[in-house]
Amino acid sequence: MTQRNLVLIIIIMLITSVLVAAASVGGTLWYVKSHQGEGGASFSLPFSQPQNVDPIFHPLEKLVLSVKGERQTHFIMMELALETRNAEAIEGIDNYMPVVRNALLKLFSNKTYEQLQNQRTIEELQDEVKGTLLNAFSQTRYARAIDNVLLTKYVIQ
């Protein structure tokens, strides 16, 4: 077998692999699309949605937490809103409010009043809260439904 024949065989194998992969993806997409909406059980990805759906902002219950200061205990009142594009997930997310409260309690129990007062930007705090909540939801089916976490009210006394 010459080197030219070997290269030709490798190229043919690569082209065949690409065609098989494309046919597999196309066939899967066709199958999913054609079987959605039938009377029987339909296959759908959890919380899959069209890309152009407007976001829904769902407010969560108000939270009041305490943080330690140098001389006294201080309180934080915050309101959060979850951004999602999946209206079906909202009720399930509401059922996880104890998980949300617990995660935020853990986050703020490690902070002091002085640290929170010296926080450079609200975006940093929002990113930290978002990371905490996404981590708390990571073991649930709702983690992928949450697009963003917004601080809508934040008061520290």
Side-chain angles (χ1 to χ4, degrees):
M1 182 176 280
T2 65
Q3 186 175 6
R4 183 174 186 208
N5 286 346
L6 184 61
V7 169
L8 185 60
I9 289 173
I10 291 173
I11 290 173
I12 290 172
M13 288 173 54
L14 286 173
I15 291 172
T16 303
S17 296
V18 168
L19 290 173
V20 167
S24 296
V25 169
T28 301
L29 292 175
W30 170 83
Y31 178 81
V32 168
K33 187 175 182 180
S34 67
H35 286 79
Q36 283 182 341
E38 290 184 358
S42 66
F43 173 79
S44 65
L45 296 173
F47 305 121
S48 60
Q49 305 137 21
Q51 293 293 342
N52 60 352
V53 174
D54 289 333
I56 300 167
F57 297 95
H58 179 65
L60 299 178
E61 297 173 17
K62 177 174 33 175
L63 296 166
V64 178
L65 304 167
S66 62
V67 292
K68 294 182 180 178
E70 286 181 11
R71 292 179 272 161
Q72 66 184 34
T73 300
H74 298 271
F75 294 95
I76 298 173
M77 189 279 299
M78 91 174 82
E79 292 180 9
L80 303 169
L82 298 180
E83 177 184 347
T84 182
R85 287 179 168 68
N86 187 326
E88 298 167 3
I90 290 174
E91 184 177 338
I93 288 170
D94 281 342
N95 291 334
Y96 279 90
M97 272 309 290
V99 174
V100 169
R101 289 181 176 279
N102 183 52
L104 292 174
L105 182 64
K106 287 179 183 177
L107 171 67
F108 284 96
S109 69
N110 295 322
K111 296 191 176 293
T112 65
Y113 175 75
E114 290 74 25
Q115 287 173 323
L116 293 169
Q117 284 294 97
N118 293 332
Q119 185 106 23
R120 284 180 270 170
T121 64
I122 196 74
E123 286 85 16
E124 289 176 0
L125 183 61
Q126 183 170 315
D127 288 342
E128 197 170 358
V129 168
K130 177 182 177 181
T132 299
L133 291 187
L134 289 177
N135 188 40
F137 277 102
S138 67
Q139 300 301 316
T140 71
R141 64 184 190 159
Y142 302 106
R144 291 182 28 182
I146 299 170
D147 296 323
N148 203 2
V149 177
L150 305 169
L151 282 174
T152 56
K153 195 176 281 185
Y154 177 73
V155 178
I156 184 166
Q157 294 182 336

